[in-house]
Amino acid sequence: MAFHDVQFPADIAVGAVGGPGYHTSVVTLASGREKRNVDWSDARCVWDVAHGLKTQDQLDRLLAFFRARQGKAHGFRFKDWSDFAMARQNIALGDGVTKSFPLQKTYADAAGYLAVRRLTRPVVGTVRVWLSGGEQGGVTLDYGSGMIGFASAPASGAVIEAQCQFDVPARFDTDQMQVTVEAYGTYSWGQIPVVEVKE
């Protein structure tokens, strides 16, 4: 599968229904107790974007976007309006050797349980980086992998922080668009599933 570095129309994505999900196998034992196996350590997002279609112009642009991606064949950037920004937070500690660090967002609940998510598609112009509290200019950033690069390795124990907006790498989860022409200029559509692609 190729990845097209273009964003799904954001004004259609704003009406998407969906979010993160996991895959857990649950086995009920003879005693009635359960054994739960975590099949996925990271969440995978799924959305239905049909709810975001409101106008003929949006339908025209969606059909053009779908054809250009050839259904499931090619990935694209998707803005998840429920989770598209990372506030300034610690992303790594320097070790005196490593020069490149991945952008990653940490989710923490009130009890202190954490989930870490790699951000591979940051939005151009939104990334800021701090080293030991001082904002850094001149760092390199790969917008296709979310890797931050320093000219020299941060000192051991130096706190590296970042903030950014980000897109999710995704693809259509159908090869068939379902649009019903009810009358001239009046349409309805079935589900239009979009699924996150793990990079």
Side-chain angles (χ1 to χ4, degrees):
M1 176 187 83
F3 187 88
H4 294 177
D5 197 22
V6 294
Q7 189 186 61
F8 181 88
D11 61 321
I12 300 174
V14 76
V17 174
Y22 290 88
H23 192 278
T24 307
S25 301
V26 180
V27 178
T28 303
L29 306 176
S31 65
R33 291 184 173 86
E34 291 181 345
K35 180 170 178 58
R36 293 181 295 279
N37 299 310
V38 177
D39 301 322
W40 298 350
S41 58
D42 297 324
R44 186 182 194 196
C45 295
V46 177
W47 304 272
D48 179 3
V49 298
H51 302 281
L53 289 172
K54 303 289 190 292
T55 67
Q56 180 66 48
D57 173 67
Q58 288 178 323
L59 178 59
D60 292 343
R61 287 186 289 120
L62 178 61
L63 288 171
F65 193 88
F66 183 80
R67 284 178 177 270
R69 307 292 87 74
Q70 296 177 297
K72 296 179 183 180
H74 303 292
F76 50 85
R77 288 174 172 262
F78 184 83
K79 184 171 185 174
D80 177 3
W81 285 90
S82 69
D83 186 10
F84 66 91
M86 177 179 72
R88 180 177 173 177
Q89 63 176 238
N90 183 349
I91 62 165
L93 292 176
D95 60 9
V97 177
T98 306
K99 295 182 181 180
S100 297
F101 301 88
L103 280 172
Q104 52 190 18
K105 181 175 180 177
T106 300
Y107 300 81
D109 69 8
Y113 291 97
L114 304 176
V116 178
R117 179 186 191 183
R118 279 277 284 115
L119 306 179
T120 59
R121 298 289 168 173
V123 175
V124 174
T126 68
V127 180
R128 297 173 66 188
V129 178
W130 292 264
L131 180 61
S132 297
E135 188 165 5
Q136 300 296 294
V139 296
T140 61
L141 180 60
D142 184 341
Y143 286 95
S145 70
M147 293 295 293
I148 295 171
F150 292 89
S152 57
S156 181
V159 176
I160 302 161
E161 299 172 292
Q163 75 176 39
C164 66
Q165 292 185 18
F166 57 92
D167 291 324
V168 181
R171 65 168 173 80
F172 287 106
D173 200 22
T174 182
D175 277 327
Q176 180 64 57
M177 189 69 72
Q178 299 286 344
V179 179
T180 302
V181 180
E182 297 174 346
Y184 180 75
T186 304
Y187 306 93
S188 64
W189 37 83
Q191 289 188 335
I192 307 171
V194 170
V195 62
E196 180 178 3
V197 173
K198 291 297 183 181
E199 296 186 293

